[in-house]
């Protein structure tokens, strides 16, 4: 009777243990965040075998320790390399590998018990097997969440650029959304410039604009150039260190290419903070997909912008043709008609008024011709001589307090040689500076004209100021510089001054065929 009772107690105890283990294993499915799942695995294993301390060590594909989660005092576990422990050397220590889909994920460690039995080893092994399933579910959930974050970032970038965001604003948006989606501390777009160098075009976070514009030197082992040349992503913990004030605050990073067809637009670098998880293969794939989508949209907006500029240029060319073929011809005919009327009247007052009308028509024709030349110039003012002249005049307006009048006539950008242009612009700047310093003028007129034969360009700067001093000392340094610039090209520079009426500077150089300009 007693034996039967003891046998029943044993069976009941076994059933109770199995039930507790089943309940504990089922509870692993309650959490979906990977960190919570790892802590729950440690708690369940300690509870089932009566261990006071437990820990989970997670290793990455490169065999490095990624995370160490301890359920008790971490001093019981070697956190630097827990995989180096041999359980045969420590009777009060138990280590069981955890595998996910047949691959090593990490190890479950238990301590704080006098001795672990074979039964304890079986229970912990069962927990490790169930843990693999729970970990896989948590990783799938985390991957889905991360994919949603990157997809939202990609959608925001695409929508913004297709609705008008372009240029530098578009680049800043790409870097900002990449950093936010990766949970990083800094992100940068490294793009190819016109000289064929990789440059930190936009830096989001870290040192920001201070780091922008730096050239990435091409040296052996440079991860940035390797990614750009090979088109393959690369993990790097040091790449983002130069982008922050404190290099130790930067942790794992990844560099991914930004391809557009067969051409490489640049490289996207994203770095997380120190102590943050490294970019695993899934993370790298998400960053690569985002960078490829962003590069494609950037290229699309660039091409779209070029198409719009081409349409503007075509429209400007049409307007220029209409002005030349229609308006100027009609005005020219009107001027000839008015000039013919002067012979039909003997009254001097009528003849004078007709002559003034003819002069006004001629002036209008000259203005329209200048407008035609302006319409035929490139959209970018920085590359054209006309743009440089206008920019110099606008800059002088801030000093003078008023806008000088400007008259540009002739094909300046097509016939004035490139070597002559810097001297012409420098002479103009010098003349306007002299007006500001010495003339006290209220009116300044600037004229730059190419003669009809396209053999000479002339610059005239005229003001209504006090003129050059007659008896007092003259400031001849600037005038000498202007004369030297003209003599360099076999030209001339003359200065006429009337006290109380102003100064006129006439600077002229030949622009015919010359070996020096080839």
């Amino acid at each position: 009777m007693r034996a039967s009772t003891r046998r029943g107690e044993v069976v009941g105890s076994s059933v109770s243990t199995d039930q507790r283990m089943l309940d504990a294993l089922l509870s692993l499915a309650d959490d979906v965040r990977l960190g919570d799942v790892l802590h729950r695995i440690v708690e369940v294993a300690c509870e089932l075998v009566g261990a006071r301390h437990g820990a989970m060590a997670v290793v990455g594909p490169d065999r490095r320790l990624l995370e160490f989660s301890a359920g008790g005092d971490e001093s019981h576990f070697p956190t630097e390399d827990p995989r180096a422990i041999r359980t045969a050397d420590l009777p009060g220590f138990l280590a069981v590998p955890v595998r996910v889909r047949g691959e090593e994920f990490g190890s479950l460690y238990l301590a704080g018990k006098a001795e672990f039995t074979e039964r304890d080893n079986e229970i912990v092994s069962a927990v490790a097997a169930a843990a693999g399933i729970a970990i896989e579910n948590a990783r799938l959930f985390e991957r889905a969440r991360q994919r949603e974050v990157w997809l939202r970032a990609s959608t925001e970038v695409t929508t913004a650029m297709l609705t008008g965001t372009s240029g530098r604003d578009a680049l800043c948006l790409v870097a900002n959304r990449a950093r936010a989606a990766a949970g990083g501390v800094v992100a940068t777009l490294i793009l190819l410039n016109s000289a064929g160098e990789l440059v930190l075009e936009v830096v989001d976070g870290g040192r920001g604009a201070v780091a922008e514009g730096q050239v990435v030197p091409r040296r052996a082992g440079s991860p940035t150039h390797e990614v750009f040349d090979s088109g393959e992503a690369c993990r790097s913990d040091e790449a983002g260190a130069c982008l922050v004030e404190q290099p130790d605050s930067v942790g794992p990073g990844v560099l991914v290419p930004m391809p557009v067809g067969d051409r490489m637009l640049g490289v996207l670098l994203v770095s997380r903070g120190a102590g943050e998880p490294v970019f695993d293969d899934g993370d790298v794939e998400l960053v690569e997909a985002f960078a490829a989508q962003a590069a494609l949209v950037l290229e699309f907006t660039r091409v779209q912008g070029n198409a719009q500029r081409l349409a503007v240029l075509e429209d400007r060319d049409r307007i220029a043709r209409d002005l030349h073929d229609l308006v100027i011809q009609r005005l020219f005919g009107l001027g000839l008609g008015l000039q013919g009327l002067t012979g039909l009247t003997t009254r001097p007052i009528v003849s004078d008024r007709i002559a003034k009308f003819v002069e006004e028509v001629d002036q209008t024709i000259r203005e329209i011709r200048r407008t035609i030349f302006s319409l035929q110039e490139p959209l970018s003012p920085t590359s054209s001589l006309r743009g440089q002249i206008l920019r110099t005049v606008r800059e002088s307006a801030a000093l003078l307090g008023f806008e000088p009048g400007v008259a540009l006539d002739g094909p300046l950008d097509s016939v004035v040689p490139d070597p002559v242009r810097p001297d012409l612009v420098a002479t103009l700047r010098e003349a306007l500076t002299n007006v500001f310093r010495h003339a006290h003028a209220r009116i300044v007129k600037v004229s730059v004209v190419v003669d009809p034969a396209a053999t000479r360009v002339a610059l005239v700067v005229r003001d209504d100021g006090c003129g050059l001093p007659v008896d007092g000392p003259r400031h001849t340094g600037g005038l000498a510089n202007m004369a030297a610039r003209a003599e360099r090209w076999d030209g001339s520079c003359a200065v006429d001054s009337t006290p109380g009426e102003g100064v006129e500077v006439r600077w002229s150089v030949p622009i015919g065929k010359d070996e020096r300009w080839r």
Side-chain angles (χ1 to χ4, degrees), residues 269-285:
L269 164 64
V270 183
S271 292
R272 289 172 175 163
E276 294 293 323
V278 300
F279 289 85
D280 60 22
D281 292 341
D283 293 330
V284 173
E285 290 178 2

Side-chain angles (χ1 to χ4, degrees), residues 305-366:
N306 290 341
Q308 292 174 351
R309 284 190 289 273
L310 179 61
V312 171
L313 289 174
E314 290 177 347
D315 199 39
R316 286 170 51 166
D317 188 56
R318 178 188 59 78
I319 295 172
R321 288 197 307 270
D322 291 345
L323 287 174
H324 182 271
D325 298 340
L326 300 177
V327 179
I328 287 184
Q329 297 303 324
R330 291 183 179 181
L331 287 175
F332 186 72
L334 177 60
L336 290 177
L338 289 173
Q339 198 169 16
L341 292 178
T342 57
L344 301 178
T345 179
T346 58
R347 299 177 62 184
I349 186 172
V350 175
S351 297
D352 291 343
R353 295 189 65 179
I354 291 176
K356 289 183 178 179
F357 289 148
V358 172
E359 184 179 353
E360 287 293 329
V361 171
D362 289 340
Q363 179 63 27
T364 302
I365 291 175
R366 286 194 291 271

Side-chain angles (χ1 to χ4, degrees), residues 313 315-324 327-328 331 362-378 386 390 406-413 448:
L313 289 174
D315 199 39
R316 286 170 51 166
D317 188 56
R318 178 188 59 78
I319 295 172
R321 288 197 307 270
D322 291 345
L323 287 174
H324 182 271
V327 179
I328 287 184
L331 287 175
D362 289 340
Q363 179 63 27
T364 302
I365 291 175
R366 286 194 291 271
E367 293 290 339
I368 293 177
R369 281 176 174 169
R370 283 195 288 269
T371 301
I372 292 174
F373 283 124
S374 299
L375 289 172
Q376 292 174 338
E377 293 300 325
R386 289 174 179 270
L390 293 174
V406 184
L408 306 178
D409 197 3
L412 296 174
D413 287 290
V448 184

Side-chain angles (χ1 to χ4, degrees), residues 229-267:
D229 295 337
S230 66
E232 297 180 359
C234 170
R235 299 181 183 90
S236 174
D237 294 347
E238 297 83 18
C242 64
L243 304 176
V244 296
E245 297 293 344
Q246 299 178 343
D248 293 341
S249 64
V250 177
V254 62
L255 298 102
V256 298
M258 300 182 67
V260 179
D262 297 333
R263 185 167 61 88
M264 194 64 65
L265 190 65
V267 175

Side-chain angles (χ1 to χ4, degrees), residues 455-466:
T455 59
R456 200 170 191 86
V457 60
L459 164 67
V460 178
V461 180
R462 185 183 300 108
D463 67 76
D464 66 345
C466 60

